Amino acid sequence: MRSMGRKPQSSQRSQRKTSSAFSAFSAVAFSAFSAFSAASAQPPPSARAAAPIDLTGYWVSIVTEDWRYRMMTPRKGDYASVPLNAAARKAADGWDPAKDAASGNACRSYGVGNIMRVAGRVHITWQDEDTLKVESDAGTQTRLLRFADPAPSPSGDNGWQGYSVARWQLAGPQRRGGPGRGRGATPPRGGSLKVVTTKMKAGYLRKNGVPYSEKAIVTEYFDRHTEPNGDQWFTVTTVVEDPTYLDEPFITSSHFKKEPDGAKWHPTACRAE
Amino acid sequence: MKRGHRLAVAAATGVAAAAVAILPAIAQQMPASTPGYDLSGEWAPRFHEDQPERIPGPEIGDYLGLPINAAARLHADSWDASILTLPEHQCKPHPSDYSPRGPANLRIWKEIDTASQQLLAYHTHISWQAPERTIWMDGRPHPPEFAAHTWQGFSTGVWDGDMLTITTTHLKMGWIRRNGIPRSDRAVVTEHLVRHDNYLTWIIVIDDPVYLTEPFIRTTNFVWDPHQQIAPYPCQIVEEIDRPQGVVPHHLPGQNPFLGEFPAKFGVSPEAARGGAETTYPDYQWRAKGAPAAPARESDPPAVAASASDGDVHVLPVQGNVFMLVGTGGANITMQAGDEGVLIVDASAATLTDKVLKAIRTVSTKPIRYIVDTDADADHVGGNADIAKQGAVISGGNMGQPYSGAAIIAHEKVLARMSAPTGEPSPFPQAAWPTDTYFTKKKELFFNGEAIEILHQPSAHTDGDSLVFFRRSDVVSAGDLFLTTTYPVIDLERGGNIQGIIAGLNTLLDITIPRDKQEGGTYVVPGHGRLCDEADLLEYRDMLTIVRDRIQDLVKKGATLDQVNAARPTLDYDRRYGTTSGPWTTDKFIEAVYKSLQPATGTKPSR
C-alpha cells in the first residue's frame, strides 16, 4: 500500500490546502456555533419584550352591538342570541338579583365569561415582564394574563376572573413554496394575543342571570387595528365553551377604543341588577 | 376605434369593468402583495350578537347604539316598511358593509395570477341575495368619483400582519339598520378580517359624513364549516300591491305611529332608543345620575362632490357605443360613437369645448354628426356653436339648404329660450341655436346601428327638457332631470315644476331595467355627477317624492314659506344634496317646490 505510506508531492500540497481550508472552515464554523450556542443559552425574551402588539393603555368599550343587553339590565328571560340549553334557560328564568346581592354574588355578571362585554373602560398594564394586567372600572375587576405560568394550581380560588394563560400569536412570516424555497424569509409582522381561561367561579353571560358554569373554558383573541382617522382600537373575540349550559360555543367580539389617559376612569362596584 | 385607443381610455378612466380587461398587465406592473393568513373556505355565521335585529329584523324606532345624526333619525322615522313592496325595491341585496350581518353563509376564495402566482384578489359570496364581491389585492387604484357605484362597492385590500384590511368606496346608498337608518353613497368603509383557529372575525368601520357623527364600528363572527353548501338565491320581482305609479310609502314627520312601541316593549328609555354617539359610550349609563354627557361630534356638512375636479374632461366608457364625458364646470356629455360618426347629448360649457373635442377624439376620429340639447342652460349648450362647427351632418335631398356643421337637435322650447324675437338681443349666438327642433312627445333617430329616442318631459327642470334613450346600448341620458350633486334645479321662470321633475324620474324608472339584483342593466347619465343605474335613480325619485309630499302636506295646512322652511322638510337629505351657498341653495329648492305646489300654479302629479 505504497500510496498510503507516501503520497505524491502534489497530493500532499493538495492535502495541505484541503486541511488548511478545513481548518479555516472549522474555525469559522466553530466560531459561528459558539455564537449560536451563546445565543441559544440566553433566556428567551420576556413576553413584554416579545410583544408583537401593544395593548397597554386606557381603552373604552364602544357599545354599538347588543346595546340593550350591555348598557342596561335586560328583563328576566330575555336571552336571545345565546345558544343556551334547557338547563341554562331554567337557571336564567330563576334569576334573583336580590338573592345574588345578599349572598355576595353581585359580581356574577362581571366574571371572565362576560367582563369584556360589560360597558366600561379597561386599563391594561404589565404587572411584570410576563404578566399582563387587565383592570376594568366596571365592577372594579382585575384579570392577570400569565405568559410564564402555563398551568393553574389545581387548588386555590381563582375568583371571578379564573386562571388565564396567555400566548402571543405571531403573524406568519412570508414563505415561498417550491424547490429550494421552503425557508422562512422575513421576520414576523405583527400578531395577536390568545388567552385561555379556566378555573373560574360560575357567573353570568349577561346581567339578567344567563349562566355559565365553573367548567367553562373561555378563549379570547385580541387584535389591534388603527382606523384612517387615527383612532386606535383593539377587538377581542371571546369564545365561551360550557358543557353545562351551552349547546355550542358562544362567540362574541367586543371593540375598545384607545383613550389618551385615565381621565374618564370611573371605578364602580359590582351591581347585581 | 383603434384598439390602442380603447385600452388607453379604459386605463385612464379606471372603470371597474374596464379594469378587469387589463388585469394581466396590471398584475405584471404592481408590486407583489404581501401574503397573509389564507382566509379561503366556507364560513358559517354566528348570530350571538344582535340576533333579534339580524334575523327576525329590527324593531321600528330601534336606533340603539348607532352614532347617527338628526338626518339619519328623520330618515328612519319616515321609513315605512311597505316601501319594500315597490318592484324596484324588492331585489336589492345587502350592501357589502351590511351583508355579513344578515343570513350570511360566506364563501371566500382567492384569485391567483397563473403565471406569477401572485394574489390578485379575494372574492366573497354571501348566501342572502347572493352578492359576490371582489377585493383587489394587486394595488390598483380606486376608480374616479364619477364612476358608477355598486352594492358591493370597489374594494382594495392589504395585509397588516395576518389581518386583511380592506378599503371600500363607490357604494350605493345603503342602510346601517334595516329599519330605515341610512348609509349614504359618500361613505368609506374600512374592514379588517382576521382568522384565529377556526373562527373568523370581521370588523367593519363605516365613516359616513352624511349620516354619522362618528365612525360606526361593528364586529361579526363566523366559524369554519367545510361541509357548508350555499344554495342559489335568485330574486324575482312580483306585484304585491296595486297602487298608483309614483307612490312612495313613507310616514310624514311626526306621524309615524309605531316609533313608541320599541322602547315600551323592552323597557328602553325613549331617549336612548333615538341613538347618537353619546349613547355608545359607557358614560351614558350614569348620565342620568348626574355625570356630564359626552358631546356629540357633528362634522361639517360635506362639500358637494364635483364631477371631476382636475379641470380636465374625462371619458368614461359606459356600455355599448356610449361614453360619458365629465368635466368641471359643465354638464355631463353623453357620447355615442360608431361607424357613422359621433352623436353627443349636450355640449357642456363653452369654456370646456377644446377639452371636450380632445376627449371625443380619444374615442373616435369620425365626424360629429349630431348634438342633442337636453335643455337651454349655458352649461349644457355653451359648446354648441364651436363643437357643431367641427362636425358635419349629412344633409341634402329634401332637407332644404345643406348645412355644413353638426345638426343640433332640441325641443322647440329650447330654441325659444336660446333665441329672441327679431330686434332683441339673443342670449346665444345663432350658430349655437338648435337646427332641428321637435314639438311632439318624442323624436326618433337611428344612428350607428342604434335606435335613439328623444323624449320630451314637459314642465320639469324647464319646459323644454329632453331625455335621450340609446336603446341598443341600454343607456339613457337624463339631463338636469336627474343630478347626483344637488337637489334638482327647478327653473320656475322657464316652466319648471317639481311635479314634472318627479314625473320625469318615473318615466326614467319605466325605461330602466336592472340586469340583476337592482344593479347594472340600463345605465343613466345624469346632468351632473356620477354614472348611475336604476337603483340610484330610485333613491333620487324616492327622496323627491317624500320631500314633495311633506311640503304638500304643509301647503294643504296653509303653511307659509317661512313655516315650511322652519319645518326643515329636507333635513334628512341636506347633508347629501343641500348647500347654503352657490346658485342653487336648499332654501331656493324648498321655495321652488313650495311655489310649484301652490294651487294657483301647481299641477297634479301626472304619474
Side-chain angles (χ1 to χ4, degrees), chain B residues 80-160:
Chain B
D80 183 338
S82 189
I83 198 171
L84 299 176
T85 65
L86 297 181
E88 298 89 352
H89 280 275
Q90 290 179 20
C91 287
K92 295 195 295 189
H94 289 317
S96 60
D97 53 331
Y98 187 90
S99 56
R101 302 291 287 178
N105 295 81
L106 166 70
R107 178 181 304 129
I108 302 178
W109 69 100
K110 292 191 289 194
E111 180 178 340
I112 302 287
D113 177 59
T114 305
S116 67
Q117 287 297 296
Q118 179 185 335
L119 175 62
L120 295 179
Y122 267 108
H123 297 277
T124 66
H125 177 105
I126 283 181
S127 50
W128 194 82
Q129 292 280 18
E132 295 213 335
R133 178 183 183 194
T134 300
I135 300 153
W136 295 108
M137 301 295 294
D138 57 5
R140 71 183 60 200
H142 283 236
E145 170 53 30
F146 47 85
H149 287 211
T150 62
W151 292 111
Q152 302 308 306
F154 188 93
S155 299
T156 52
V158 294
W159 288 108
D160 179 10

Side-chain angles (χ1 to χ4, degrees), chain B residues 282-302:
Chain B
D283 315 69
Y284 188 79
Q285 293 172 110
W286 49 82
R287 175 176 161 184
K289 298 173 184 172
R297 199 170 66 202
E298 289 276 353
S299 55
D300 293 333

Side-chain angles (χ1 to χ4, degrees), chain B residues 158-170:
Chain B
V158 294
W159 288 108
D160 179 10
D162 281 348
M163 177 182 280
L164 176 62
T165 294
I166 305 166
T167 301
T168 300
T169 59
H170 292 75

Side-chain angles (χ1 to χ4, degrees), chain B residues 179-414:
Chain B
N179 56 5
I181 294 291
R183 192 265 297 129
S184 84
D185 60 353
R186 296 262 171 86
V188 175
V189 178
T190 305
E191 295 158 276
H192 308 280
L193 272 72
V194 59
R195 176 180 180 169
H196 293 293
D197 299 327
N198 285 337
Y199 303 109
L200 178 71
T201 299
W202 194 329
I203 302 161
I204 300 176
V205 184
I206 303 171
D207 193 355
D208 183 358
V210 177
Y211 290 118
L212 297 177
T213 60
E214 289 187 6
F216 172 54
I217 180 172
R218 59 185 162 200
T219 55
T220 309
N221 306 110
F222 296 81
V223 178
W224 188 55
D225 184 2
H227 291 104
Q228 176 173 273
Q229 293 289 326
I230 298 177
Y233 204 110
C235 183
Q236 185 174 354
I237 293 170
V238 295
E239 296 298 333
E240 295 187 11
I241 296 174
D242 185 14
R243 52 165 65 98
Q245 193 173 24
V247 168
V248 177
H250 65 95
H251 296 286
L252 291 168
Q255 296 184 31
N256 186 340
F258 308 112
L259 292 177
E261 291 183 0
F262 167 70
K265 183 177 177 183
F266 293 99
V268 175
S269 85
E271 181 202 63
R274 304 293 287 166
E278 69 277 13
T279 69
T280 68
Y281 287 80
D283 315 69
Y284 188 79
Q285 293 172 110
W286 49 82
R287 175 176 161 184
K289 298 173 184 172
R297 199 170 66 202
E298 289 276 353
S299 55
D300 293 333
V304 173
S307 299
S309 55
D310 59 3
D312 213 343
V313 172
H314 299 267
V315 179
L316 185 72
V318 181
Q319 62 186 6
N321 288 340
V322 175
F323 300 76
M324 174 172 147
L325 275 57
V326 186
T328 309
N332 290 335
I333 293 174
T334 309
M335 178 176 69
Q336 186 233 38
D339 291 340
E340 294 183 72
V342 172
L343 178 151
I344 60 172
V345 180
D346 289 325
S348 199
T351 53
L352 293 176
T353 295
D354 289 345
K355 291 173 180 172
V356 167
L357 288 168
K358 189 178 171 186
I360 290 171
R361 291 304 170 221
T362 65
V363 178
S364 173
T365 55
K366 296 277 186 177
I368 299 167
R369 304 289 189 192
Y370 297 101
I371 300 171
V372 182
D373 291 335
T374 60
D375 64 48
D377 292 346
D379 60 341
H380 290 251
V381 303
N384 272 8
D386 288 341
I387 294 176
K389 195 166 60 182
Q390 300 295 321
V393 70
I394 297 171
S395 61
N398 65 347
M399 298 298 290
Q401 187 175 0
Y403 173 70
S404 59
I408 303 175
I409 302 172
H411 189 267
E412 66 172 1
K413 292 288 178 61
V414 172

Side-chain angles (χ1 to χ4, degrees), chain A residues 92-218:
Chain A
D93 290 340
W95 172 58
D96 184 345
K99 190 175 173 183
D100 282 342
S103 61
N105 286 317
C107 289
R108 273 187 169 166
S109 65
Y110 299 82
V112 66
N114 188 52
I115 186 64
M116 302 308 281
R117 297 293 281 173
V118 175
R121 289 178 169 79
V122 297
H123 182 210
I124 303 180
T125 54
W126 285 99
Q127 174 168 283
D128 56 45
E129 288 298 299
D130 287 308
T131 307
L132 205 53
K133 183 165 71 174
V134 182
E135 298 170 277
S136 303
D137 63 356
T140 317
Q141 298 292 304
T142 300
R143 302 179 62 192
L144 297 177
L145 314 184
R146 299 172 173 86
F147 290 81
D149 304 319
S153 67
S155 60
D157 181 7
N158 292 298
W160 300 111
Q161 304 308 325
Y163 190 93
S164 298
V165 176
R167 177 163 61 87
W168 294 121
Q169 292 191 308
L170 303 181
Q174 295 179 51
R175 284 194 297 268
R176 300 191 68 179
R181 288 182 168 176
R183 302 177 297 277
T186 59
R189 304 150 292 123
S192 58
L193 173 64
K194 180 176 181 178
V195 179
V196 178
T197 302
T198 55
K199 307 292 183 186
M200 74 288 280
K201 291 172 70 171
Y204 294 154
L205 293 169
R206 284 190 182 152
K207 206 163 186 64
N208 61 346
V210 177
Y212 64 88
S213 78
E214 68 280 357
K215 294 179 182 173
I217 299 173
V218 178

